[in-house]
C-alpha cells in the first residue's frame, strides 16, 4: 500500500474524532450525547488499529480492542442505564448557547493546529497530524466539561478528553501496554466512582445539576 | 577496661529511632489494655538509656556522624558535643520521669490512642533537635517536636478551649520555625547548611544582629519569652499533665538549646550590645510571668506562667553571658552561662515535679481550680511532701537546687561593675532588681499555691474525698524531689560537669568545685562569696530537730481540745477561709492594676435581698491587646480580601483550568 494512502486513512480517522468531538458540543439530549460518544470511541478504536497496522505494532491492537470494548460498548451502555435510572433521558440541557460553543470549539481546533504543527516540524507527518488532532480532542473535551451543567455530560467530556490522550499516545509510536491498560482501568475506576457519587448527589439533592451543589454550598456564583 | 560499650552518638540515634518505632507500635497497642504500661515503660527505659548517653556525651569529646538520609546531596549530619550532651541529659531525665509517671497517670486517660503514639514521638523529636548538626535536620526535628506536642495539646479536643489553645500554639510554632529558618539562611549566606560550616561562615555585624533578633523570635517564641508567650499558658495546661510537664519543663529547654546553639556557637563572637535585648526581655519575662501566675486560680495555669518566669531567669543568665563575653570578660561570662544552664536543669526537675503533683491533684479531685481544693495534705501525704519540696525549690529557698542557680545568677550580676559600656552598667543592676522581685513574687506565688491546695480545710466535696495517687506516679515524683534536694546540697559535681559545655562556648571555665573543702562552691573567689548547701541543710535539720525536741520535752504535756476562735462568726464554713484570689489580692492591687488591667467588680445585693454578694476579677494580658489581636485582625482582613478562590463554583474552577490552559497555549502560539 502506498504511504500516501496510509497517511490519508490515518488522517481521516483522526479527523473524524475531532469532528465527532465537535458534534458532541451541540448534543443537547443525553441519550444522543452518549451515542455520539460511543461513535467517537469507535473512531478511536479504528484509528488505533490503523496505527497498529501502519506501524506494524501488534500491541496497539490490544489498545484498540480495549477502546472498542470498554469505551464504545461497555461505558455507553452503563451511562445509558445510569441516565435512564436517573430519569434524565428526556431532559434538554443548555448552559451556554450552541452557536458560541461551536465557534469556541472551532477556535480551539485552529489553536491546536497552529501550535502543534510548528512544534513537531521535525517528526514524521503522521505523528504531526495525529498530535494536532489529539490536542483538539482534549481541548474540546475540556470545553465540554466547562460549558455543561449536568454531571453526566461532564463525565462524558472527561472521557472524551481521555480519548484524545490515547490518540496522542498511539500517534507517538504507541505507549507501553502496561501504561495503556492502567490508564484504561483508571478511567474505568473514575467512571465507577463518579457514577456512585452521582447517585449519592441525586439522592441528597434530587438533581445532578452541579449548579445546585454550588447553591447548596452557598457559593457566590 | 576499654571505652563505653556503645559510642554515645550512635547510641543516641538508635534511642531516637527506637522512640519513633515505639510511636508507630503504639498505634495498635493503644487499643489493648497492656498498651499503656508497655509504651510508657518502654519509653522510660529508652529515655533512661539516652540519659546515660547524654552523660557520656557531656563528659566525653565531641563526636560527629553523617548518615545518608534527608536531603540527597548533603545527607544528615549529627553531632554530640558536651552542650548537646547536657541538654540530652535534661530532656531524657524529664522524659524518663514523665514516662514513669504516665504508667500510672495514663490509667485515667479516656482516649489513650490519642496520646500514646505521640508521646514517644515527642520525646524522640526533642532528642533529635539536640543531636542535629545541620540546619535541615535541626528544623526537621524542631517541627516534628512542635507537631507531636500540638497533637498532644489537642488530644482532648472536646473542649473548645483546647482547640483554641492548639490553634494559637501551632500558629506561634510555625512562626518560630520560620524565624529560625531565616536565621540559618542568613548565617549560611549561600554556603552549605551544616553547623560546622555555619560556625565559620564570615558575616557582617548587621547579619549578626539580624540572626540574634531572629533567634530571639524563633527560640523565644518556643521558650515563652514575653511578648511571644501568649500560647504557653493556653497550650501547656491543655495537654494531659505528664505532657504538660514535658512541654513546660523540657520542651522549653530545647528552645533554650536552640538559642544557645545559634547565638553562642554559630553566630560567632558577640558584639558588646548583644546582651542588652536578651537581658531586658529576660527580666521582663521573669516579672511578667510570675505576676500573671499570681493572678491565676487554675493550678496548671499557675505553673505554666511560672515557666515563663523561669525561662526569663535562664535568659537573664544567657544575656549576662553574652554581655560579659562581648566585653571580653570570659570568666564572668562562664559563671553567667553556668548559672543559666544550671537553672535549665533545675527548672526541668522542679517544674516536672510540680506538674506531676498538679496532675495527681487533678486525678484525685477532678479539679484544677485552687478555689475547689484545700486540706489535701491529710488525704495525699506523699504528694503533699513532694509538692512542698518542689514549691520550696522553685521559690529558690536554700538548701534546694533553685537557690543555687539563682544565687549563681546574682553572683554574675554582682560582677557587672567590671563591664565598661555604661548602658550595660546601668541595665544589669536593674535586671538584678527585676530578678530579685521575681524571686520574691515566686515565693508568694507558691506559698499561695501550696497553702490553698494542701493546707486549710477542703473547699469542695471532691477535695474532702481525695485519695493518694498510684505507686508509679508517686515514684516519679519522689525521684524528682530527691534529685532537687541532691542538686541543691551537692551542686559541685553538677557545676564541674557543666564546665565541659561552658568551656568551648565561652573560652573560660569556672574553677573546679569538687576540690573545694567541705563541698562548698566558690564561683569567683573565696574573698567574694561561697555557698555550702550541705551545711545549710545540716543546720536546718539540726535546728529544726532541736526545736522540736525542746518543744516536746519542755512544753506542757497537758492537751486541751477547744473550739477555734471564730471571730464572732459561728459555724464557719470552709468557704470562709482565705481563697486563692483573696491571697493574691494585695499583690494584684499593687502590681497588676496598671500592667495587666486587673479589675475587681463587686456586686452587692440590695438591702433585704438574701442573694450572695459577688466579686468578679478580670485581667488582660497586654501582649494580646497590643500585639496579637491587631495582628490577627490585620491578617484576617488581608486574607479575606486576597482569597477569593474557596468560594467559586465547580464550573468556575474548571473554567479557570481551561482558561489557563488556553492562555498558555496562546502564549506558545504567539511566541513562536
Amino acid at each position: 500500500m502506498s504511504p500516501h494512502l496510509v497517511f490519508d486513512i490515518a488522517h481521516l480517522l483522526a479527523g473524524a474524532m475531532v469532528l465527532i468531538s465537535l458534534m458532541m458540543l451541540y448534543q443537547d439530549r443525553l441519550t444522543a450525547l452518549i451515542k455520539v460518544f460511543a461513535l467517537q470511541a469507535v473512531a478511536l478504536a479504528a484509528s488505533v488499529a490503523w496505527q497498529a497496522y501502519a506501524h506494524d505494532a501488534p500491541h496497539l491492537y490490544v489498545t484498540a480492542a480495549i477502546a472498542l470494548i470498554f469505551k464504545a460498548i461497555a461505558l455507553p451502555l452503563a451511562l445509558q442505564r445510569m441516565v435512564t435510572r436517573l430519569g434524565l433521558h428526556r431532559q434538554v440541557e443548555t448552559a451556554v448557547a450552541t452557536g458560541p460553543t461551536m465557534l469556541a470549539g472551532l477556535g480551539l481546533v485552529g489553536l491546536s493546529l497552529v501550535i502543534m504543527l510548528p512544534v513537531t516540524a521535525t517528526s514524521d507527518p503522521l505523528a504531526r497530524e495525529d498530535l494536532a488532532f489529539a490536542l483538539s480532542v482534549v481541548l474540546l473535551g475540556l470545553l465540554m466539561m466547562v460549558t455543561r451543567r449536568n454531571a453526566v455530560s461532564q463525565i462524558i467530556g472527561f472521557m472524551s478528553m481521555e480519548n484524545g490522550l490515547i490518540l496522542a499516545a498511539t500517534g507517538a509510536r504507541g505507549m507501553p501496554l502496561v501504561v495503556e491498560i492502567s490508564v484504561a482501568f483508571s478511567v474505568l475506576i473514575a467512571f465507577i466512582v463518579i457514577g456512585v457519587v452521582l447517585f449519592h448527589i441525586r439522592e441528597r439533592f434530587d438533581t445532578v445539576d452541579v449548579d445546585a451543589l454550588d447553591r447548596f454550598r452557598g457559593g457566590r456564583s | 577496661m576499654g571505652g563505653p560499650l556503645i559510642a554515645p552518638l550512635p547510641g543516641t540515634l538508635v534511642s531516637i529511632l527506637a522512640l519513633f518505632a515505639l510511636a508507630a507500635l503504639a498505634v495498635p497497642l493503644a487499643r489493648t489494655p497492656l498498651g499503656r504500661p508497655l509504651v510508657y515503660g518502654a519509653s522510660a527505659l529508652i529515655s533512661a538509656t539516652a540519659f546515660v548517653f547524654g552523660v557520656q556525651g557531656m563528659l566525653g569529646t565531641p563526636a560527629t556522624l553523617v548518615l545518608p538520609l534527608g536531603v540527597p546531596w548533603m545527607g544528615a549530619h549529627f553531632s554530640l558535643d558536651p552542650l548537646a550532651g547536657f541538654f540530652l541529659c535534661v530532656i531524657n531525665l524529664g522524659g524518663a520521669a514523665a514516662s514513669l509517671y504516665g504508667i500510672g497517670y495514663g490509667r485515667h486517660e479516656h482516649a489513650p490512642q490519642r496520646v500514646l503514639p505521640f508521646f514517644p514521638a515527642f520525646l524522640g523529636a526533642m532528642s533529635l533537635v539536640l543531636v542535629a548538626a545541620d540546619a535541615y535536620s535541626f528544623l526537621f526535628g524542631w517541627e516534628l517536636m512542635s507537631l507531636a506536642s500540638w497533637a498532644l495539646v489537642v488530644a482532648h479536643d472536646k473542649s473548645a478551649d483546647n482547640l483554641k489553645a492548639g490553634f494559637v500554639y501551632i500558629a506561634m510554632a510555625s512562626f518560630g520555625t520560620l524565624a529560625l529558618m531565616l536565621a540559618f539562611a542568613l548565617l549560611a549566606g549561600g554556603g552549605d547548611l551544616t553547623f560546622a560550616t555555619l560556625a565559620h561562615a564570615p558575616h557582617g555585624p548587621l547579619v549578626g544582629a539580624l540572626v540574634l533578633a531572629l533567634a530571639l523570635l524563633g527560640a523565644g517564641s518556643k521558650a515563652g519569652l514575653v511578648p511571644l508567650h501568649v500560647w504557653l499558658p493556653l497550650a501547656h495546661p491543655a495537654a494531659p499533665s505528664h505532657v504538660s510537664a514535658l512541654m513546660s519543663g523540657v520542651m522549653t529547654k530545647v528552645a533554650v538549646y536552640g538559642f544557645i546553639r545559634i547565638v553562642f556557637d554559630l553566630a560567632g563572637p558577640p558584639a558588646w550590645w548583644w546582651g542588652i535585648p536578651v537581658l531586658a526581655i529576660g527580666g521582663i519575662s521573669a516579672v511578667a510571668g510570675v505576676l500573671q501566675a499570681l493572678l491565676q486560680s487554675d493550678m496548671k495555669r499557675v505553673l505554666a506562667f511560672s515557666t515563663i518566669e523561669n525561662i526569663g531567669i535562664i535568659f537573664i543568665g544567657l544575656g549576662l553571658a553574652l554581655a560579659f563575653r562581648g566585653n571580653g570578660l570570659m570568666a564572668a561570662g562562664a559563671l553567667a552561662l553556668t548559672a543559666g544552664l544550671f537553672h535549665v536543669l533545675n527548672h526541668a526537675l522542679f517544674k516536672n515535679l510540680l506538674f506531676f503533683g498538679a496532675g495527681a491533684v487533678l486525678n484525685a479531685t477532678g479539679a484544677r481550680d485552687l478555689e475547689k481544693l484545700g486540706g489535701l495534705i491529710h488525704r495525699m501525704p506523699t504528694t503533699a511532701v513532694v509538692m512542698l519540696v518542689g514549691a520550696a525549690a522553685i521559690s529558690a529557698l536554700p538548701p534546694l537546687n533553685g537557690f543555687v542557680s539563682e544565687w549563681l545568677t546574682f553572683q554574675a550580676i554582682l560582677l557587672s561593675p567590671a563591664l565598661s559600656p555604661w548602658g550595660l552598667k546601668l541595665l544589669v543592676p536593674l535586671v538584678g532588681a527585676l530578678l530579685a522581685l521575681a524571686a520574691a513574687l515566686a515565693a508568694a506565688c507558691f506559698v499561695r499555691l501550696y497553702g490553698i491546695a494542701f493546707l486549710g480545710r477542703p473547699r469542695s466535696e471532691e477535695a474532702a474525698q481525695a485519695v493518694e495517687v498510684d505507686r508509679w506516679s508517686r515514684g516519679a515524683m519522689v525521684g524528682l524531689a530527691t534529685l532537687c534536694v541532691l542538686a541543691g546540697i551537692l551542686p559541685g559535681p553538677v557545676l564541674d560537669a557543666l564546665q565541659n559545655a561552658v568551656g568551648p562556648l565561652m573560652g573560660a571555665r569556672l574553677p573546679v568545685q569538687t576540690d573545694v573543702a567541705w563541698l562548698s562552691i566558690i564561683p569567683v573567689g573565696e574573698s567574694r562569696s561561697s555557698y555550702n548547701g550541705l551545711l545549710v541543710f545540716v543546720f536546718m535539720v539540726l535546728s529544726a530537730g532541736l526545736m522540736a525536741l525542746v518543744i516536746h520535752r519542755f512544753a506542757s504535756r497537758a492537751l486541751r481540745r477547744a473550739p477555734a476562735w471564730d471571730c464572732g462568726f459561728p459555724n464557719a464554713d470552709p468557704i470562709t477561709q482565705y481563697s486563692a484570689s483573696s491571697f493574691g489580692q494585695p499583690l494584684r492591687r499593687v502590681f497588676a492594676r496598671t500592667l495587666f488591667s486587673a479589675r475587681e467588680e463587686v456586686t452587692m445585693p440590695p438591702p433585704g435581698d438574701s442573694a450572695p454578694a459577688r466579686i468578679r476579677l478580670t485581667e488582660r494580658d497586654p501582649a494580646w491587646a497590643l500585639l496579637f489581636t491587631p495582628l490577627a485582625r490585620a491578617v484576617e482582613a488581608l486574607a479575606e480580601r486576597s482569597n477569593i478562590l474557596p468560594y467559586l463554583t465547580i464550573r468556575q474552577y474548571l473554567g479557570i483550568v481551561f482558561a489557563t490552559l488556553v492562555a498558555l497555549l496562546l502564549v506558545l502560539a504567539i511566541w513562536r
Side-chain angles (χ1 to χ4, degrees), chain A residues 25 93 95-96 101 138-162 194 210, chain B residues 650-655 657-658:
Chain A
L25 284 181
E93 62 153 346
V96 183
T101 320
V138 169
L139 287 179
L140 289 173
L142 200 53
L143 178 65
M144 182 155 150
M145 286 181 80
V146 176
T147 52
R148 296 297 175 120
R149 301 172 53 161
N150 188 304
V152 177
S153 19
Q154 288 190 342
I155 300 177
I156 293 177
F158 170 71
M159 288 190 297
S160 132
M161 247 173 86
E162 200 265 344
I194 294 174
V210 289
Chain B
I650 299 171
R651 273 178 52 216
Q652 278 167 328
Y653 284 128
L654 279 174
V657 174
F658 182 65

Side-chain angles (χ1 to χ4, degrees), chain B residues 225-473:
Chain B
L225 286 178
V226 174
L228 303 171
H229 65 287
V230 290
W231 62 274
L232 193 146
L234 300 174
H236 286 188
S241 293
H242 57 307
V243 179
S244 311
L246 278 185
M247 289 181 71
S248 228
V250 173
M251 186 176 75
T252 52
K253 305 305 173 300
V254 179
V256 172
Y257 166 79
F259 183 78
I260 296 179
R261 180 60 78 195
I262 293 176
V263 172
F264 283 74
D265 186 11
L266 302 182
W272 68 268
W273 57 269
W274 279 21
I276 293 178
V278 182
L279 275 169
I281 290 175
I284 292 170
S285 298
V287 173
V290 73
L291 267 180
Q292 279 184 291
L294 264 166
L295 302 181
Q296 307 301 320
S297 64
D298 178 331
M299 218 168 165
K300 285 172 84 173
R301 271 176 78 90
V302 173
L303 294 176
F305 274 113
S306 131
T307 296
I308 299 174
E309 179 226 341
N310 281 283
I311 289 296
I313 295 175
I314 294 169
F315 271 82
I316 289 176
L318 299 183
L320 281 172
L322 275 179
F324 284 129
R325 189 177 158 205
N327 292 284
L329 301 167
M330 299 305 182
L335 172 62
L337 186 60
T338 309
L341 289 182
F342 198 14
H343 201 70
V344 164
L345 171 69
N346 293 340
H347 181 241
L349 289 177
F350 50 63
K351 190 45 66 68
N352 270 3
L353 171 59
L354 289 167
F355 261 114
F356 291 170
V361 170
L362 176 61
N363 262 347
T365 64
R368 298 193 329 205
D369 191 351
L370 284 173
E371 315 287 16
K372 294 205 172 79
L373 301 173
L376 290 177
I377 196 167
H378 301 294
R379 310 287 311 182
M380 311 172 71
T382 317
T383 309
V385 170
V386 294
M387 280 292 271
L388 184 59
V389 173
I394 202 169
S395 314
L397 294 185
L400 292 158
N401 56 352
F403 175 76
V404 184
S405 46
E406 291 194 25
W407 181 77
L408 285 172
T409 312
F410 275 115
Q411 294 304 318
I413 286 175
L414 291 179
L415 292 177
S416 66
L419 289 166
S420 47
W422 274 99
L424 280 168
K425 257 194 217 284
L426 293 176
L427 179 69
V428 174
L430 181 67
V431 170
L434 286 179
L435 180 60
L437 178 63
L441 288 175
C445 173
F446 281 90
V447 166
R448 169 175 176 263
L449 178 87
Y450 190 82
I452 301 293
F454 287 91
L455 306 182
R457 284 189 288 157
R459 291 177 179 76
S460 69
E461 197 52 39
E462 289 79 17
Q465 302 301 325
V467 282
E468 184 61 283
V469 285
D470 56 282
R471 244 179 300 146
W472 293 104
S473 305

Side-chain angles (χ1 to χ4, degrees), chain A residues 82-142:
Chain A
M82 194 191 272
V83 167
T84 321
R85 275 180 60 193
L86 288 170
L88 296 176
H89 49 293
R90 288 179 206 288
Q91 210 165 312
V92 176
E93 62 153 346
T94 43
V96 183
T98 314
T101 320
M102 287 303 289
L103 282 178
L106 289 175
L108 288 176
V109 175
L111 177 67
S112 43
L113 284 173
V114 168
I115 290 168
M116 269 306 169
L117 293 184
V119 171
T120 54
T122 50
S123 54
D124 76 293
L126 190 54
R128 288 177 66 189
E129 300 280 330
D130 257 8
L131 281 178
F133 286 138
L135 184 62
S136 318
V137 173
V138 169
L139 287 179
L140 289 173
L142 200 53

Side-chain angles (χ1 to χ4, degrees), chain B residues 131-151:
Chain B
V131 292
D134 65 76
Y136 290 113
S137 321
F138 184 93
L139 290 172
F140 176 74
W142 187 273
E143 203 58 4
L144 201 60
M145 168 179 93
S146 299
L147 288 178
S149 52
W150 172 78

Side-chain angles (χ1 to χ4, degrees), chain B residues 121-169:
Chain B
F122 182 36
L123 286 178
M126 286 194 287
S127 297
L128 185 63
V129 174
L130 301 180
V131 292
D134 65 76
Y136 290 113
S137 321
F138 184 93
L139 290 172
F140 176 74
W142 187 273
E143 203 58 4
L144 201 60
M145 168 179 93
S146 299
L147 288 178
S149 52
W150 172 78
L152 290 164
V153 168
V154 296
H156 299 161
D157 65 338
K158 292 284 187 293
S159 103
D161 280 351
N162 284 6
L163 285 182
K164 183 194 170 206
F167 177 70
V168 174
Y169 175 39

